[in-house]
Amino acid sequence: MEKSLKPMSGYLALVIAIALTGIGIYLLVNAEHQAPWIVAGVLLILLSLFFLKGLMIIQPNHSRVLNFFGKYVGSVKENGLFFVNPLYGSYKLSLRYQNFQGQTLKVNDKMGNPIEIGAVIVWRVGDTYKAAYQVANYIDYVRTQSEAAVRHLAVSFPYDTMEDEQAEITLRDGGERVNKILEQELAERLEPAGILIQEARISHLAYAPEIAGAMLQRQQATAIVAARIKIVEGAVGMVDLALKKLSAENIVQLDDERKAAMVSNLMVVLCGEKAATPVLNAGTLYQ
């Protein structure tokens, strides 16, 4: 578990080191070949180096993980100049948010269709002990586990509802729900490394090139059929309204054959892709 450590200020140690260095040099210069003064001067300079080695500067949003001969001592997260035991080993860690732009992966969705998918992940180190000692390299761990999570997401849902009409969530239309699922899985996968996930978003999603053309034609055909259905429904309603209005206002009496002809003409006009060209009949319907 992470232990927060607050070492002593380094400014006092810096002043002591400078003072010891000055005194040591003074003794060496004025020793006049007297062994005790020379030894004292050398010891004071070595002692000042001891203090200087223990100085540690921590930049904002950075930390140091300290250990003493293989034993974890604690983590320093405050920024500034500090003094610690010079025999401590230290490991630098950044606590800043970082972006991971994963490469575009080619995988199969839930229905087996090859798709291309990529994600952008915003993360940072939350537990310095786990990041330093639980995994070999926490950055490589983030990269590998992120790609694994994106692959698992892709195979868990269909690309869109054309493949699975009963699907509640699809990769294409899932939006925030898909992103939340990805964030949750990433949080679980990266927890052993002490990584916190701020945000995860799908940045690229498309059919693989080998089926993209066929899927585009299928989408266009589906859209055309849906549009035709709406057009026919509207045309039928308009024809029905026209017949009812003619009958209600007693404008003209139409038998079944005339009604059929009128319905046919109106459907051609309303459902045709191009404007209909009228043909004038100078006679009657039966001539």
Side-chain angles (χ1 to χ4, degrees):
M1 292 293 294
E2 181 184 75
K3 294 189 297 184
S4 182
L5 188 67
K6 188 175 182 180
M8 65 174 287
S9 173
Y11 295 102
L12 177 60
L14 180 61
V15 171
I16 294 175
I18 294 173
L20 291 175
T21 301
I23 295 173
I25 294 174
Y26 176 80
L27 292 177
L28 291 175
V29 171
N30 298 279
E32 296 181 353
H33 303 290
Q34 296 183 22
W37 292 93
I38 294 175
V39 172
V42 171
L43 290 177
L44 288 176
I45 292 176
L46 291 177
L47 185 60
S48 68
L49 294 177
F50 179 82
F51 277 95
L52 290 175
K53 189 177 184 302
L55 293 177
M56 180 176 62
I57 299 175
I58 300 180
Q59 303 294 339
N61 275 332
H62 285 72
S63 67
R64 290 284 188 95
V65 180
L66 305 177
N67 66 79
F68 184 66
F69 292 108
K71 183 179 179 181
Y72 174 65
V73 176
S75 300
V76 183
K77 292 186 175 181
E78 295 184 19
N79 60 290
L81 178 64
F82 300 99
F83 175 77
V84 297
N85 188 333
L87 299 179
Y88 284 170
S90 66
Y91 184 75
K92 296 181 180 180
L93 285 175
S94 172
L95 303 180
R96 294 176 295 184
Y97 283 105
Q98 302 185 53
N99 283 321
F100 172 68
Q101 173 66 65
Q103 62 178 343
T104 300
L105 305 175
K106 185 177 180 181
V107 296
N108 293 333
D109 69 355
K110 184 179 180 181
M111 308 307 295
N113 296 313
I115 64 172
E116 294 180 346
I117 187 171
V120 175
I121 300 164
V122 182
W123 62 277
R124 71 176 182 88
V125 174
D127 190 312
T128 56
Y129 173 80
K130 291 181 178 180
Y133 299 120
Q134 290 283 84
V135 294
N137 187 309
Y138 70 94
I139 295 179
D140 288 342
Y141 190 86
V142 170
R143 182 182 299 109
T144 302
Q145 292 299 323
S146 297
E147 291 182 357
V150 173
R151 287 182 182 275
H152 184 259
L153 177 73
V155 302
S156 300
F157 302 101
Y159 182 87
D160 58 22
T161 54
M162 285 200 309
E163 301 299 326
D164 186 359
E165 295 182 356
Q166 305 301 321
E168 296 182 359
I169 301 177
T170 64
L171 297 174
R172 183 181 180 186
D173 301 324
E176 287 298 320
R177 290 185 295 174
V178 172
N179 292 329
K180 290 296 181 183
I181 293 172
L182 178 59
E183 289 177 8
Q184 182 177 357
E185 181 165 356
L186 282 169
E188 294 174 357
R189 286 176 175 268
L190 299 178
E191 191 276 334
I195 303 300
L196 300 179
I197 299 299
Q198 174 68 16
E199 185 180 34
R201 291 288 182 269
I202 301 298
S203 61
H204 176 80
L205 182 64
Y207 282 113
E210 58 266 27
I211 67 167
M215 288 301 178
L216 178 59
Q217 291 179 352
R218 182 175 178 179
Q219 292 174 353
Q220 291 173 340
T222 302
I224 291 173
V225 170
R228 288 295 180 185
I229 291 174
K230 291 294 184 182
I231 291 173
V232 170
E233 290 177 352
V236 170
M238 294 175 67
V239 169
D240 180 62
L241 177 62
L243 292 175
K244 287 180 179 179
K245 292 287 289 184
L246 290 173
S247 176
E249 297 182 10
N250 200 24
I251 296 176
V252 63
Q253 295 295 326
L254 300 175
D255 56 21
D256 291 341
E257 189 172 356
R258 287 187 173 90
K259 286 182 180 180
M262 182 178 178
V263 169
S264 176
N265 293 335
L266 286 175
M267 291 298 290
V268 169
V269 172
L270 296 173
C271 296
E273 294 185 1
K274 298 180 180 180
T277 302
V279 177
L280 298 178
N281 185 5
T284 66
L285 181 64
Y286 303 101
Q287 295 180 353

